[in-house]
Amino acid sequence: MSYIIDGKKISQDIKDEVKDEVSKLKAKGVEPCLAVVLVGDDPASHVYVRNKIKACDYTGIKSVSINLPADTEESELLQKVEELNADEKVHGILVQLPLPPQIDEDKVINTIDPDKDVDGFSPISVGRLSIGLPGFKSCTPAGIIELIKRSGVSIDGKNCVIVGRSNIVGKPMAMLLLRENGTVTVCHSHTKNLREITSQADILVAAVGKPKYFKAEDIKEGAVVIDVGMDRDENGKLCGDVDFTSVSEKAGYITPVPGGVGPMTIAMLMKNCVEAAERL
């Protein structure tokens, strides 16, 4: 049976560390502040935003919520982002995705000041990451690195396989694993012999969005298995991209769904907010 990596505990540890950093900044007269912009009535987005504000309350980061109607024009949202860019009291800006169809998401992300881009999505943030300059790391991949390292696993020299090449997880994940001296393979929908490749991975990051896609036979004995999936099984129950029951018998380390990668994303967002306040 593998060691189950407890994302809830590790994320709590990080939030507690952030709380201490926030106290120190406040003692110097700096109050970290995150502005969260929500456009429309998407129920899932409202839940995500509530969770982010709750984390701000816990860590002592000031949160400013800006709720705009679903029919907001792109120009109006861009103007709001520019106002937040210019506001010296705001250290981090987060525009909750997805946005309504009349708004170009890329244009909005590009408008956020890179020094306030705490999601780490802007081309400048991604560019900084790719060449090793200081900048904000995309929260989910950064959280995965913390999960691995805080579980006592060294990435140095390991054969790391990522399944999924999205801009939010796959690509930044590859760059962060390279930074830790991992040997990285990125697989995707056109990859030949996918299961043969995953079965050789010392560290596997699964982000394909297919419920219980990877089975025990697709995993190397003793591997570290990080499940980024948030899927529903045939009974409508929340599950990941990895068949936890069979894989946990073979892997050395594994993240559960829920309670693995999920909690880390918001914890790393809080960490980025503190970094932004320290820089500005």
Side-chain angles (χ1 to χ4, degrees), residues 33-268:
C33 175
L34 172 67
V36 182
V37 183
L38 177 60
V39 184
D41 305 308
D42 181 66
S45 292
H46 276 270
V47 171
Y48 293 140
V49 166
R50 264 201 311 275
N51 288 339
K52 287 164 186 174
I53 289 168
K54 197 172 159 188
C56 284
D57 290 343
Y58 179 81
T59 56
I61 293 170
K62 182 182 177 183
S63 62
V64 176
S65 294
I66 297 140
N67 296 329
L68 301 173
D71 60 358
T72 298
E73 292 296 326
E74 184 182 276
S75 58
E76 193 183 336
L77 177 56
L78 293 176
Q79 185 184 339
K80 178 54 69 178
V81 171
E82 291 287 16
E83 287 170 14
L84 294 170
N85 283 342
D87 189 340
E88 290 181 5
K89 291 180 181 174
V90 172
H91 301 102
I93 301 169
L94 186 151
V95 178
Q96 184 64 46
L97 304 179
L99 291 168
Q102 75 274 14
I103 299 173
D104 183 337
E105 289 185 358
D106 288 338
K107 200 179 279 188
V108 174
I109 289 167
N110 290 346
T111 303
I112 297 171
D113 180 342
D115 290 328
K116 296 187 178 187
D117 171 37
V118 287
D119 255 338
F121 288 167
S122 83
I124 290 174
S125 296
V126 174
R128 287 172 176 171
L129 176 63
S130 70
I131 58 174
L133 289 176
F136 298 115
K137 306 177 189 81
S138 189
C139 297
T140 300
I144 290 168
I145 294 291
E146 292 292 333
L147 284 176
I148 295 169
K149 291 169 80 169
R150 290 179 187 236
S151 297
V153 175
S154 170
I155 298 166
D156 197 311
K158 296 285 171 59
N159 183 19
C160 306
V161 174
I162 303 158
V163 188
R165 54 177 167 179
S166 72
N167 291 336
I168 292 173
V169 178
K171 290 173 187 171
M173 188 77 251
M175 288 187 277
L176 286 174
L177 287 167
L178 279 172
R179 234 186 220 194
E180 299 293 332
N181 299 315
T183 300
V184 181
T185 302
V186 180
C187 300
H188 44 78
S189 56
H190 291 249
T191 299
K192 304 278 193 295
N193 306 318
L194 173 63
R195 296 178 191 276
E196 186 182 314
I197 295 168
T198 61
S199 67
Q200 295 168 32
D202 300 312
I203 298 171
L204 173 66
V205 180
V208 291
K210 294 181 180 178
K212 301 182 182 179
Y213 185 74
F214 294 105
K215 313 292 185 190
E217 59 267 27
D218 306 320
I219 309 298
K220 182 179 179 180
E221 187 81 45
V224 178
V225 178
I226 306 293
D227 192 346
V228 187
M230 288 289 277
D231 314 306
R232 297 278 172 183
D233 66 13
E234 61 280 4
N235 302 312
K237 191 180 172 189
L238 193 64
C239 68
D241 292 349
V242 173
D243 179 18
F244 185 86
T245 306
S246 68
V247 172
S248 62
E249 295 295 328
K250 191 175 183 182
Y253 297 77
I254 190 169
T255 59
V257 176
V261 173
M264 296 300 295
T265 302
I266 290 179
M268 299 312 291

